[in-house]
Amino acid sequence: DSELARLWPELASRPVYLTTCKLAVTTGLRHGEIAGLMWGDVELVNGELHLRRQFTAGELVDVTKDNEPRTIDLVPAARALLEEWWKQTGDDGYVVENELGGNLDASNTRKVLYAAMKCAGIDRIGERGGTRDFHSFRHTFARISLEHGAQLEWVQAQLGHSSITLTRDL
């Protein structure tokens, strides 16, 4: 949590990437799922996201990672983030686009994220020896959710894991 508090100010001058990273932390979405998310998939009133597509290797794919569309519950922080982002960018297109208006590219996100991590004094190697990358935000989402009393089954559904074992072990 203290590292996130140091990271966010380093991304403040790049609102697209700040929003992308915060969306990952508050929803558990993968980068490709965020990149493929359209405003028509977001139901702020009902507090839900409907995942139907993703970007993989820069290409839009009309299915999710496991070929299973899923509905994500928006926790209050995610809902507030999306409400604010809608005020700034909302239209019928993608929720998050790159700074020039094109598709959000994972390699650019990594470059911006890693530079911000370095400026924030956040090591790329985590306390358990694993490499920290954009995907680490999914693990952070799961940890925060469980710390706040979420059931493991809910976290599994949010992350789109096929088995509870995978969720528990990660």
Side-chain angles (χ1 to χ4, degrees):
D1 295 343
S2 65
E3 290 173 341
L4 291 175
R6 293 195 322 263
L7 180 62
W8 300 150
E10 296 300 332
L11 290 168
S13 66
R14 309 291 297 270
V16 166
Y17 299 102
L18 175 62
T19 300
T20 300
C21 293
K22 283 186 171 185
L23 196 54
V25 168
T26 59
T27 62
L29 295 178
R30 297 171 180 92
H31 188 278
E33 293 169 338
I34 293 171
L37 191 64
M38 301 188 80
W39 281 114
D41 302 324
V42 179
E43 292 185 30
L44 289 173
V45 173
N46 296 332
E48 295 179 342
L49 296 179
H50 301 283
L51 292 179
R52 299 178 174 104
R53 73 194 71 72
Q54 66 177 343
F55 272 89
T56 301
E59 297 292 324
L60 181 63
V61 180
D62 285 330
V63 293
T64 60
K65 182 175 182 266
D66 297 321
N67 296 324
E68 290 290 329
R70 69 184 194 274
T71 299
I72 301 296
D73 296 328
L74 292 175
V75 299
R79 184 183 251 173
L81 175 68
L82 286 168
E83 286 172 351
E84 185 58 35
W85 190 242
W86 167 258
K87 290 176 190 173
Q88 297 174 39
T89 66
D91 62 21
D92 293 334
Y94 291 101
V95 171
V96 183
E97 296 178 332
N98 71 33
E99 293 164 322
L100 300 175
N103 297 327
L104 190 63
D105 179 70
S107 64
N108 287 337
T109 301
R110 282 191 297 272
K111 287 177 192 172
V112 172
L113 174 61
Y114 299 159
M117 287 172 65
K118 184 175 182 177
C119 289
I122 300 170
D123 207 353
R124 285 285 316 281
I125 304 300
E127 62 274 1
R128 294 188 185 103
T131 302
R132 291 179 171 150
D133 56 17
F134 187 87
H135 196 78
S136 300
F137 289 133
R138 283 173 56 83
H139 301 250
T140 302
F141 165 79
R143 177 189 55 81
I144 291 170
S145 297
L146 293 168
E147 286 175 355
H148 285 88
Q151 297 297 311
L152 192 60
E153 294 80 6
W154 180 84
V155 175
Q156 174 193 0
Q158 290 289 106
L159 296 175
H161 287 164
S162 58
S163 76
I164 198 77
T165 306
L166 177 61
T167 307
R168 185 192 66 230
D169 291 351
L170 287 175

PDB file of all heavy atoms in Angstrom, residues 2-22:
ATOM      1  N   SER A   2       1.949   1.217   0.740  1.00  0.00           N
ATOM      2  CA  SER A   2       2.836   2.384   0.769  1.00  0.00           C
ATOM      3  C   SER A   2       3.507   2.579  -0.593  1.00  0.00           C
ATOM      4  O   SER A   2       3.769   3.715  -0.999  1.00  0.00           O
ATOM      5  CB  SER A   2       3.882   2.258   1.872  1.00  0.00           C
ATOM      6  OG  SER A   2       4.745   1.169   1.615  1.00  0.00           O
ATOM      7  N   GLU A   3       3.781   1.494  -1.281  1.00  0.00           N
ATOM      8  CA  GLU A   3       4.380   1.610  -2.610  1.00  0.00           C
ATOM      9  C   GLU A   3       3.387   2.203  -3.609  1.00  0.00           C
ATOM     10  O   GLU A   3       3.760   3.007  -4.455  1.00  0.00           O
ATOM     11  CB  GLU A   3       4.901   0.259  -3.082  1.00  0.00           C
ATOM     12  CG  GLU A   3       6.113  -0.182  -2.289  1.00  0.00           C
ATOM     13  CD  GLU A   3       6.556  -1.589  -2.618  1.00  0.00           C
ATOM     14  OE1 GLU A   3       5.753  -2.375  -3.181  1.00  0.00           O
ATOM     15  OE2 GLU A   3       7.709  -1.920  -2.309  1.00  0.00           O
ATOM     16  N   LEU A   4       2.123   1.811  -3.515  1.00  0.00           N
ATOM     17  CA  LEU A   4       1.117   2.403  -4.391  1.00  0.00           C
ATOM     18  C   LEU A   4       1.008   3.902  -4.114  1.00  0.00           C
ATOM     19  O   LEU A   4       0.893   4.699  -5.052  1.00  0.00           O
ATOM     20  CB  LEU A   4      -0.249   1.736  -4.197  1.00  0.00           C
ATOM     21  CG  LEU A   4      -0.371   0.292  -4.675  1.00  0.00           C
ATOM     22  CD1 LEU A   4      -1.745  -0.267  -4.300  1.00  0.00           C
ATOM     23  CD2 LEU A   4      -0.104   0.174  -6.163  1.00  0.00           C
ATOM     24  N   ALA A   5       1.074   4.274  -2.857  1.00  0.00           N
ATOM     25  CA  ALA A   5       1.003   5.686  -2.491  1.00  0.00           C
ATOM     26  C   ALA A   5       2.175   6.473  -3.085  1.00  0.00           C
ATOM     27  O   ALA A   5       2.039   7.655  -3.395  1.00  0.00           O
ATOM     28  CB  ALA A   5       0.971   5.840  -0.971  1.00  0.00           C
ATOM     29  N   ARG A   6       3.314   5.828  -3.260  1.00  0.00           N
ATOM     30  CA  ARG A   6       4.459   6.484  -3.897  1.00  0.00           C
ATOM     31  C   ARG A   6       4.359   6.439  -5.420  1.00  0.00           C
ATOM     32  O   ARG A   6       4.861   7.340  -6.102  1.00  0.00           O
ATOM     33  CB  ARG A   6       5.768   5.825  -3.445  1.00  0.00           C
ATOM     34  CG  ARG A   6       6.087   6.040  -1.981  1.00  0.00           C
ATOM     35  CD  ARG A   6       7.530   5.722  -1.615  1.00  0.00           C
ATOM     36  NE  ARG A   6       8.150   4.594  -2.255  1.00  0.00           N
ATOM     37  CZ  ARG A   6       8.255   3.352  -1.725  1.00  0.00           C
ATOM     38  NH1 ARG A   6       7.733   3.106  -0.524  1.00  0.00           N
ATOM     39  NH2 ARG A   6       8.874   2.396  -2.368  1.00  0.00           N
ATOM     40  N   LEU A   7       3.733   5.394  -5.954  1.00  0.00           N
ATOM     41  CA  LEU A   7       3.643   5.224  -7.405  1.00  0.00           C
ATOM     42  C   LEU A   7       2.662   6.208  -8.039  1.00  0.00           C
ATOM     43  O   LEU A   7       2.949   6.785  -9.086  1.00  0.00           O
ATOM     44  CB  LEU A   7       3.226   3.791  -7.740  1.00  0.00           C
ATOM     45  CG  LEU A   7       3.091   3.454  -9.223  1.00  0.00           C
ATOM     46  CD1 LEU A   7       4.426   3.628  -9.940  1.00  0.00           C
ATOM     47  CD2 LEU A   7       2.581   2.013  -9.380  1.00  0.00           C
ATOM     48  N   TRP A   8       1.496   6.398  -7.435  1.00  0.00           N
ATOM     49  CA  TRP A   8       0.463   7.234  -8.055  1.00  0.00           C
ATOM     50  C   TRP A   8       0.956   8.645  -8.392  1.00  0.00           C
ATOM     51  O   TRP A   8       0.708   9.123  -9.510  1.00  0.00           O
ATOM     52  CB  TRP A   8      -0.796   7.279  -7.207  1.00  0.00           C
ATOM     53  CG  TRP A   8      -1.486   5.968  -6.940  1.00  0.00           C
ATOM     54  CD1 TRP A   8      -2.218   5.663  -5.828  1.00  0.00           C
ATOM     55  CD2 TRP A   8      -1.552   4.786  -7.760  1.00  0.00           C
ATOM     56  NE1 TRP A   8      -2.720   4.378  -5.907  1.00  0.00           N
ATOM     57  CE2 TRP A   8      -2.315   3.812  -7.092  1.00  0.00           C
ATOM     58  CE3 TRP A   8      -1.022   4.452  -9.013  1.00  0.00           C
ATOM     59  CZ2 TRP A   8      -2.586   2.546  -7.607  1.00  0.00           C
ATOM     60  CZ3 TRP A   8      -1.280   3.181  -9.538  1.00  0.00           C
ATOM     61  CH2 TRP A   8      -2.044   2.253  -8.841  1.00  0.00           C
ATOM     62  N   PRO A   9       1.666   9.336  -7.507  1.00  0.00           N
ATOM     63  CA  PRO A   9       2.146  10.679  -7.878  1.00  0.00           C
ATOM     64  C   PRO A   9       3.122  10.663  -9.060  1.00  0.00           C
ATOM     65  O   PRO A   9       3.168  11.611  -9.843  1.00  0.00           O
ATOM     66  CB  PRO A   9       2.845  11.187  -6.609  1.00  0.00           C
ATOM     67  CG  PRO A   9       2.247  10.394  -5.499  1.00  0.00           C
ATOM     68  CD  PRO A   9       1.926   9.059  -6.085  1.00  0.00           C
ATOM     69  N   GLU A  10       3.874   9.579  -9.189  1.00  0.00           N
ATOM     70  CA  GLU A  10       4.823   9.477 -10.308  1.00  0.00           C
ATOM     71  C   GLU A  10       4.097   9.299 -11.646  1.00  0.00           C
ATOM     72  O   GLU A  10       4.651   9.613 -12.696  1.00  0.00           O
ATOM     73  CB  GLU A  10       5.812   8.325 -10.086  1.00  0.00           C
ATOM     74  CG  GLU A  10       6.708   8.510  -8.892  1.00  0.00           C
ATOM     75  CD  GLU A  10       7.581   9.756  -8.967  1.00  0.00           C
ATOM     76  OE1 GLU A  10       7.913  10.214 -10.076  1.00  0.00           O
ATOM     77  OE2 GLU A  10       7.923  10.282  -7.889  1.00  0.00           O
ATOM     78  N   LEU A  11       2.874   8.796 -11.606  1.00  0.00           N
ATOM     79  CA  LEU A  11       2.081   8.616 -12.827  1.00  0.00           C
ATOM     80  C   LEU A  11       1.105   9.766 -13.069  1.00  0.00           C
ATOM     81  O   LEU A  11       0.429   9.800 -14.100  1.00  0.00           O
ATOM     82  CB  LEU A  11       1.295   7.297 -12.746  1.00  0.00           C
ATOM     83  CG  LEU A  11       2.120   6.021 -12.840  1.00  0.00           C
ATOM     84  CD1 LEU A  11       1.280   4.813 -12.457  1.00  0.00           C
ATOM     85  CD2 LEU A  11       2.697   5.864 -14.245  1.00  0.00           C
ATOM     86  N   ALA A  12       1.042  10.724 -12.151  1.00  0.00           N
ATOM     87  CA  ALA A  12       0.040  11.792 -12.223  1.00  0.00           C
ATOM     88  C   ALA A  12       0.118  12.607 -13.517  1.00  0.00           C
ATOM     89  O   ALA A  12      -0.909  13.056 -14.028  1.00  0.00           O
ATOM     90  CB  ALA A  12       0.159  12.712 -11.009  1.00  0.00           C
ATOM     91  N   SER A  13       1.302  12.775 -14.066  1.00  0.00           N
ATOM     92  CA  SER A  13       1.444  13.556 -15.299  1.00  0.00           C
ATOM     93  C   SER A  13       1.051  12.744 -16.540  1.00  0.00           C
ATOM     94  O   SER A  13       1.021  13.291 -17.640  1.00  0.00           O
ATOM     95  CB  SER A  13       2.881  14.068 -15.445  1.00  0.00           C
ATOM     96  OG  SER A  13       3.768  12.973 -15.626  1.00  0.00           O
ATOM     97  N   ARG A  14       0.753  11.472 -16.351  1.00  0.00           N
ATOM     98  CA  ARG A  14       0.339  10.580 -17.451  1.00  0.00           C
ATOM     99  C   ARG A  14      -1.009   9.969 -17.095  1.00  0.00           C
ATOM    100  O   ARG A  14      -1.106   8.790 -16.736  1.00  0.00           O
ATOM    101  CB  ARG A  14       1.378   9.476 -17.666  1.00  0.00           C
ATOM    102  CG  ARG A  14       2.830   9.911 -17.817  1.00  0.00           C
ATOM    103  CD  ARG A  14       3.146  10.652 -19.096  1.00  0.00           C
ATOM    104  NE  ARG A  14       2.964   9.923 -20.319  1.00  0.00           N
ATOM    105  CZ  ARG A  14       3.901   9.191 -20.923  1.00  0.00           C
ATOM    106  NH1 ARG A  14       5.091   9.062 -20.383  1.00  0.00           N
ATOM    107  NH2 ARG A  14       3.636   8.611 -22.070  1.00  0.00           N
ATOM    108  N   PRO A  15      -2.099  10.739 -17.135  1.00  0.00           N
ATOM    109  CA  PRO A  15      -3.394  10.273 -16.625  1.00  0.00           C
ATOM    110  C   PRO A  15      -3.914   8.993 -17.265  1.00  0.00           C
ATOM    111  O   PRO A  15      -4.593   8.212 -16.597  1.00  0.00           O
ATOM    112  CB  PRO A  15      -4.338  11.449 -16.882  1.00  0.00           C
ATOM    113  CG  PRO A  15      -3.624  12.361 -17.800  1.00  0.00           C
ATOM    114  CD  PRO A  15      -2.160  12.093 -17.665  1.00  0.00           C
ATOM    115  N   VAL A  16      -3.591   8.743 -18.509  1.00  0.00           N
ATOM    116  CA  VAL A  16      -4.020   7.489 -19.146  1.00  0.00           C
ATOM    117  C   VAL A  16      -3.427   6.303 -18.405  1.00  0.00           C
ATOM    118  O   VAL A  16      -4.129   5.332 -18.092  1.00  0.00           O
ATOM    119  CB  VAL A  16      -3.612   7.465 -20.637  1.00  0.00           C
ATOM    120  CG1 VAL A  16      -3.741   6.066 -21.227  1.00  0.00           C
ATOM    121  CG2 VAL A  16      -4.429   8.471 -21.432  1.00  0.00           C
ATOM    122  N   TYR A  17      -2.154   6.381 -18.097  1.00  0.00           N
ATOM    123  CA  TYR A  17      -1.475   5.266 -17.451  1.00  0.00           C
ATOM    124  C   TYR A  17      -1.821   5.181 -15.969  1.00  0.00           C
ATOM    125  O   TYR A  17      -1.927   4.085 -15.415  1.00  0.00           O
ATOM    126  CB  TYR A  17       0.033   5.341 -17.707  1.00  0.00           C
ATOM    127  CG  TYR A  17       0.316   5.256 -19.184  1.00  0.00           C
ATOM    128  CD1 TYR A  17       0.617   6.391 -19.931  1.00  0.00           C
ATOM    129  CD2 TYR A  17       0.194   4.048 -19.847  1.00  0.00           C
ATOM    130  CE1 TYR A  17       0.828   6.312 -21.300  1.00  0.00           C
ATOM    131  CE2 TYR A  17       0.401   3.951 -21.218  1.00  0.00           C
ATOM    132  CZ  TYR A  17       0.711   5.087 -21.940  1.00  0.00           C
ATOM    133  OH  TYR A  17       0.899   4.997 -23.295  1.00  0.00           O
ATOM    134  N   LEU A  18      -2.000   6.323 -15.334  1.00  0.00           N
ATOM    135  CA  LEU A  18      -2.445   6.322 -13.945  1.00  0.00           C
ATOM    136  C   LEU A  18      -3.804   5.647 -13.837  1.00  0.00           C
ATOM    137  O   LEU A  18      -4.014   4.778 -12.984  1.00  0.00           O
ATOM    138  CB  LEU A  18      -2.521   7.759 -13.411  1.00  0.00           C
ATOM    139  CG  LEU A  18      -3.092   7.927 -12.000  1.00  0.00           C
ATOM    140  CD1 LEU A  18      -2.223   7.210 -10.973  1.00  0.00           C
ATOM    141  CD2 LEU A  18      -3.226   9.408 -11.665  1.00  0.00           C
ATOM    142  N   THR A  19      -4.716   6.010 -14.714  1.00  0.00           N
ATOM    143  CA  THR A  19      -6.053   5.405 -14.700  1.00  0.00           C
ATOM    144  C   THR A  19      -5.986   3.918 -15.011  1.00  0.00           C
ATOM    145  O   THR A  19      -6.654   3.121 -14.363  1.00  0.00           O
ATOM    146  CB  THR A  19      -6.977   6.128 -15.700  1.00  0.00           C
ATOM    147  OG1 THR A  19      -7.068   7.503 -15.305  1.00  0.00           O
ATOM    148  CG2 THR A  19      -8.357   5.505 -15.727  1.00  0.00           C
ATOM    149  N   THR A  20      -5.174   3.540 -15.967  1.00  0.00           N
ATOM    150  CA  THR A  20      -5.027   2.125 -16.331  1.00  0.00           C
ATOM    151  C   THR A  20      -4.530   1.313 -15.143  1.00  0.00           C
ATOM    152  O   THR A  20      -5.080   0.255 -14.824  1.00  0.00           O
ATOM    153  CB  THR A  20      -4.073   1.969 -17.529  1.00  0.00           C
ATOM    154  OG1 THR A  20      -4.612   2.702 -18.644  1.00  0.00           O
ATOM    155  CG2 THR A  20      -3.888   0.517 -17.909  1.00  0.00           C
ATOM    156  N   CYS A  21      -3.514   1.805 -14.464  1.00  0.00           N
ATOM    157  CA  CYS A  21      -2.958   1.085 -13.314  1.00  0.00           C
ATOM    158  C   CYS A  21      -3.945   1.045 -12.154  1.00  0.00           C
ATOM    159  O   CYS A  21      -4.130  -0.001 -11.521  1.00  0.00           O
ATOM    160  CB  CYS A  21      -1.641   1.718 -12.890  1.00  0.00           C
ATOM    161  SG  CYS A  21      -0.311   1.517 -14.111  1.00  0.00           S
ATOM    162  N   LYS A  22      -4.601   2.159 -11.876  1.00  0.00           N
ATOM    163  CA  LYS A  22      -5.584   2.179 -10.799  1.00  0.00           C
ATOM    164  C   LYS A  22      -6.774   1.273 -11.130  1.00  0.00           C
ATOM    165  O   LYS A  22      -7.327   0.624 -10.238  1.00  0.00           O
ATOM    166  CB  LYS A  22      -6.065   3.604 -10.530  1.00  0.00           C
ATOM    167  CG  LYS A  22      -5.075   4.430  -9.748  1.00  0.00           C
ATOM    168  CD  LYS A  22      -5.677   5.783  -9.389  1.00  0.00           C
ATOM    169  CE  LYS A  22      -4.796   6.547  -8.432  1.00  0.00           C
ATOM    170  NZ  LYS A  22      -5.445   7.795  -7.994  1.00  0.00           N
TER     171      LYS A  22
END
